């Protein structure tokens, strides 16, 4: 009889123990949910166009800076090997969306239309950075108003061309990847700015150089061949191309006073401007772009409202403020 009583008491004790454990697990689950809602233990995956360029290095530095300022948020930055490695980036996006490792994503698409297909139906918060993605899954776009910034650059270039003594204020653009939304926006901005300021944007002579320096160099050689007497302005999609174009024209007296315009305002551009090679650059706030994109993604994960467009800002860099810009950029990468 005593044995039966002891057995019953043992069973009851075990049952109470299991109930207590269950309540403890429930409390842990509630705590875990509370941590996530407060932004603790979150993971954000940033997928850039590439990590192999100076400009994207600043975007990456801004993203990582957010992680340093908010150690409760893990920020994992990745990117393709180049701005034409389309399949590579698509594979990264596909793999990471399926991995369940991340709570939200920041994406700078190489091919926005293809990324739209890849993210269709995902429940993760997504923020586009640098280049917009037109999809309902994307909650915000953080970047430069590319057309507006290029518009200001185009107008400023005309004024510089006038000051340099040009009578025929013609402008030719060396653009990025044909069809890319960012390249198209910059082209439209340059065109509008040049034409409104009294210049002439030569639509029929746009050169596409896939956003890389060696192709821009070749494009500039073609421009020189077609315009042996010179062109007032050469407007480029980024600084690497503008520097390459200026080097292709170096030593050619017909292009001695040509206004070479870049876009991004990176260190090499500032140095080239100070050396009187590249003439000016439309600078993006790449560091701020990266920081604000992760910040927006974290807010979205936590269920907060975020703006559909967050402008990271821009500025025109000339020889007058190139040193200041250079010092600022160097401080970001320390």
């Amino acid at each position: 009889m005593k044995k039966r009583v002891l057995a019953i008491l043992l069973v009851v004790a075990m049952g109470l123990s299991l109930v207590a454990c269950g309540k403890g697990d429930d409390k842990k689950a509630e705590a875990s949910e509370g941590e996530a809602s407060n932004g603790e233990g979150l993971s954000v995956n940033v997928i850039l166009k590439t990590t192999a360029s100076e400009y994207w290095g600043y975007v990456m530095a801004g993203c990582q800076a957010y992680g340093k300022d908010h150690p409760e948020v893990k920020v994992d930055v990745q990117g393709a090997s180049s701005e034409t490695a389309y399949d590579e980036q698509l594979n990264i996006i596909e793999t990471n969306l399926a991995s369940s490792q991340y709570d939200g994503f920041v994406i700078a698409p190489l091919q926005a239309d293809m990324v739209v297909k890849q993210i269709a139906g995902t429940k993760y918060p997504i923020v586009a950075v640098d280049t917009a993605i037109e999809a309902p899954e994307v909650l915000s776009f953080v970047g430069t108003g590319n057309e507006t910034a290029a518009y200001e650059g185009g107008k400023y270039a005309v004024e510089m061309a006038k000051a340099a003594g040009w009578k025929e204020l013609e402008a030719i653009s060396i653009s990025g990847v044909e069809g890319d939304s960012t390249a198209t926006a910059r082209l439209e901005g340059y065109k509008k700015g040049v034409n409104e300021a009294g210049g002439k944007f030569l639509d029929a002579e746009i050169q596409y150089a896939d956003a890389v320096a060696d192709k821009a160099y070749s494009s500039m050689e073609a421009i020189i061949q077609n315009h042996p007497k010179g062109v007032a302005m050469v407007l480029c999609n980024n600084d690497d191309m503008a520097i390459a174009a200026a080097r292709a024209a170096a030593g050619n007296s017909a292009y001695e006073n040509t206004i070479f315009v870049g876009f991004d305002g990176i260190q090499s551009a500032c140095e080239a401007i100070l050396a009187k090679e590249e003439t000016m650059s439309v600078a993006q706030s790449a560091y701020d772009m990266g920081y604000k994109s992760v910040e927006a993604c974290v807010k979205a994960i936590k269920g907060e409202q975020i703006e559909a467009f967050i402008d990271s800002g821009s500025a025109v860099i000339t020889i007058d403020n190139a040193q200041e810009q250079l010092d600022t950029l160097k401080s970001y990468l320390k």
Side-chain angles (χ1 to χ4, degrees):
M1 182 68 179
K2 288 182 179 179
K3 289 182 179 179
R4 286 187 63 191
V5 170
L6 288 171
I8 291 169
L9 289 173
L10 182 59
V11 169
V12 171
M14 289 177 64
L16 289 172
S17 175
L18 288 170
V19 170
C21 288
K23 286 181 178 179
D25 289 342
D26 288 343
K27 287 180 179 178
K28 286 181 181 179
E30 288 172 8
S32 178
E33 289 175 5
E35 287 176 359
S37 65
N38 290 323
E40 296 181 6
L42 299 182
S43 183
V44 175
N45 184 209
V46 180
I47 304 172
L48 302 179
K49 291 186 178 183
T50 183
T51 54
S53 77
E54 185 184 325
Y55 168 76
W56 289 105
Y58 299 127
V59 179
M60 182 163 40
C63 293
Q64 292 169 336
Y66 183 91
K68 290 177 183 177
D69 290 345
H70 302 82
E72 73 280 7
V73 179
K74 179 184 176 183
V75 180
D76 182 15
V77 183
Q78 297 171 268
S81 56
S82 75
E83 289 198 38
T84 54
Y86 310 119
D87 290 341
E88 182 183 350
Q89 190 193 49
L90 291 174
N91 286 335
I92 293 171
I93 295 170
E94 181 180 10
T95 300
N96 292 358
L97 280 173
S99 71
S100 301
Q101 293 183 64
Y102 306 102
D103 300 295
F105 293 83
V106 172
I107 301 174
L110 284 171
Q111 291 179 305
D113 55 340
M114 295 301 293
V115 172
V116 168
K117 296 175 183 177
Q118 284 218 310
I119 64 176
T122 184
K123 302 302 180 184
Y124 294 110
I126 294 178
V127 171
V129 64
D130 180 78
T131 301
I133 305 170
E134 301 298 332
E137 292 81 6
V138 178
L139 304 179
S140 181
F141 166 49
V142 181
T144 304
N146 282 292
E147 186 169 339
T148 300
Y151 167 74
E152 295 298 331
K155 288 196 301 181
Y156 203 98
V158 172
E159 296 308 312
M160 293 192 80
K162 289 177 182 177
W166 288 94
K167 302 302 180 185
E168 292 187 28
L169 300 170
E170 294 181 330
I172 295 176
S173 183
I174 302 179
S175 191
V177 178
E178 187 171 8
D180 173 72
S181 59
T182 298
T184 300
R186 292 177 188 176
L187 273 176
E188 291 301 314
Y190 279 146
K191 177 181 176 180
K192 183 179 178 182
V194 167
N195 290 340
E196 284 192 12
K200 183 179 180 181
F201 187 89
L202 303 181
D203 289 89
E205 299 195 43
I206 296 169
Q207 300 274 334
Y208 290 98
D210 293 338
V212 294
D214 58 343
K215 291 186 179 181
Y217 191 99
S218 298
S219 293
M220 191 64 216
E221 289 180 324
I223 291 171
I224 292 170
Q225 187 173 0
N226 293 333
H227 296 269
K229 294 183 179 180
V231 174
M233 293 162 280
V234 176
L235 314 175
C236 299
N237 192 68
N238 64 30
D239 286 317
D240 289 341
M241 293 197 295
I243 294 168
R247 286 174 179 164
N252 188 320
S253 59
Y255 285 83
E256 186 177 353
N257 295 318
T258 293
I259 308 302
F260 289 96
V261 181
F263 204 111
D264 289 337
I266 59 178
Q267 283 190 46
S268 54
C270 295
E271 291 165 351
I273 290 169
L274 291 169
K276 297 184 179 181
E277 295 170 352
E278 185 178 357
T279 317
M280 59 171 277
S281 179
V282 180
Q284 301 192 78
S285 299
Y287 180 93
D288 291 340
M289 193 184 297
Y291 195 101
K292 290 179 178 181
S293 65
V294 178
E295 180 179 52
C297 189
V298 170
K299 287 181 178 179
I301 294 167
K302 292 161 65 177
E304 298 179 25
Q305 287 291 109
I306 56 177
E307 296 178 13
F309 173 57
I310 300 171
D311 193 340
S312 52
S314 63
V316 173
I317 305 300
T318 67
I319 199 166
D320 295 327
N321 60 353
Q323 186 61 55
E324 180 183 356
Q325 172 76 352
L326 181 60
D327 294 341
T328 299
L329 294 176
K330 286 182 177 179
S331 71
Y332 290 152
L333 301 180
K334 285 182 178 179

